[in-house]
Amino acid sequence: MSSGPMPYDEDKMPIYALGVNIGMQICSQTNFKALLDEDELDILLKGFSDIVKGESTTDPMVVLSTYGPAVNKLLSERMEGILDRAKKDGDEFRAGFLDCNEEAIKTDSGLIYYSMTEGTGESPSDKTDEVEVHYHGTLIDGTVFDSSVDRGTTIKFKIGQVIQGWQEGLAMMKEGGKATLVIPPELAYGDAGSGGAVPAGATLKFEVELFKVTKA
């Protein structure tokens, strides 16, 4: 996301930042933009505003006791629909990737491994081995959710500290190599997703460059 001009004067920005902080905490738990349409989002924000400003015309506890079950039903149904759609889209993306990349390998677990540059050095073989990598992670629509490349610095970690798809993919690489990993949700973050960055049921695509392996 690009950095544009601040929406308020300098003396008011700390209050705006407080609102941003609260919004980020809420949205890190539930992606309301995906669950609700624009009109529904406006109603949601009106409910939030009424409570914050103390302007609710109805006892909030009465509202919750009356409509709480309907809230749970609505969220459950819509989250299930989003999850099913994400998995279906992921299935189609992985099939399309294999069709377009004949040299790509699909392992028994469902990981898709596509070598871009073959390495010649060590391969990690144990969960306690440490690797140094560059990576660029995107969702299937191209949205970047995490990238050491964009941050301009490599990252080091032990193999056992990352998702299963990474563990399996890195074990297939050698130092100096670069590969694309297309990871189904069951080898990534599953039905839970990861905060606000990775949706539930998401297939992930990583370009990974392995610089160094340090054996345990």
Side-chain angles (χ1 to χ4, degrees):
M1 183 179 293
S2 61
S3 179
M6 297 298 175
Y8 293 97
D9 295 337
E10 190 70 16
D11 61 331
K12 294 179 180 177
M13 279 307 300
I15 304 302
Y16 179 79
L18 174 61
V20 169
N21 183 46
I22 294 171
M24 288 179 66
Q25 291 184 49
I26 293 172
C27 290
S28 70
Q29 302 298 318
T30 304
N31 186 357
F32 288 106
K33 188 175 180 180
L35 287 173
L36 306 175
D37 61 30
E38 289 297 324
D39 290 341
E40 291 170 333
L41 280 172
D42 289 341
I43 296 170
L44 172 71
L45 293 174
K46 180 63 167 65
F48 181 81
S49 174
D50 284 350
I51 293 300
V52 171
K53 294 179 179 180
E55 295 179 350
S56 179
T57 58
T58 307
D59 183 343
M61 297 310 296
V62 172
V63 172
L64 292 179
S65 63
T66 303
Y67 295 101
V71 169
N72 293 335
K73 183 173 183 291
L74 181 146
L75 292 178
S76 177
E77 289 176 348
R78 294 200 182 180
M79 290 177 72
E80 183 177 347
I82 289 173
L83 179 61
D84 290 344
R85 185 164 64 251
K87 289 183 175 181
K88 180 176 182 294
D89 290 345
D91 291 344
E92 293 175 353
F93 178 85
R94 297 194 303 276
F97 186 90
L98 287 169
D99 286 343
C100 294
N101 298 277
E102 293 182 356
E103 296 180 357
I105 299 168
K106 182 179 179 181
T107 69
D108 291 341
S109 69
L111 171 72
I112 295 174
Y113 178 90
Y114 176 66
S115 178
M116 303 167 72
T117 302
E118 287 291 343
T120 57
E122 290 273 7
S123 292
S125 58
D126 190 277
K127 288 186 177 182
T128 58
D129 289 346
E130 182 180 80
V131 296
E132 181 180 359
V133 304
H134 247 332
Y135 67 91
H136 187 70
T138 60
L139 305 178
I140 61 174
D141 65 359
T143 300
V144 179
F145 66 88
D146 194 10
S147 175
S148 69
V149 175
D150 289 354
R151 291 192 295 271
T153 181
T154 60
I155 184 171
K156 295 180 180 179
F157 53 82
K158 294 186 184 300
I159 295 294
Q161 295 176 328
V162 293
I163 57 176
Q164 187 177 344
W166 265 66
Q167 293 182 31
E168 183 178 352
L170 285 167
M172 300 170 71
M173 299 180 69
K174 294 180 179 180
E175 289 172 326
K178 186 174 182 180
T180 297
L181 308 179
V182 181
I183 306 177
E186 56 269 22
L187 301 180
Y189 296 101
D191 291 354
S194 179
V198 178
T203 287
L204 307 180
K205 179 185 176 186
F206 289 94
E207 289 187 2
V208 182
E209 189 169 4
L210 178 58
F211 293 107
K212 185 177 181 180
V213 176
T214 302
K215 293 292 186 175

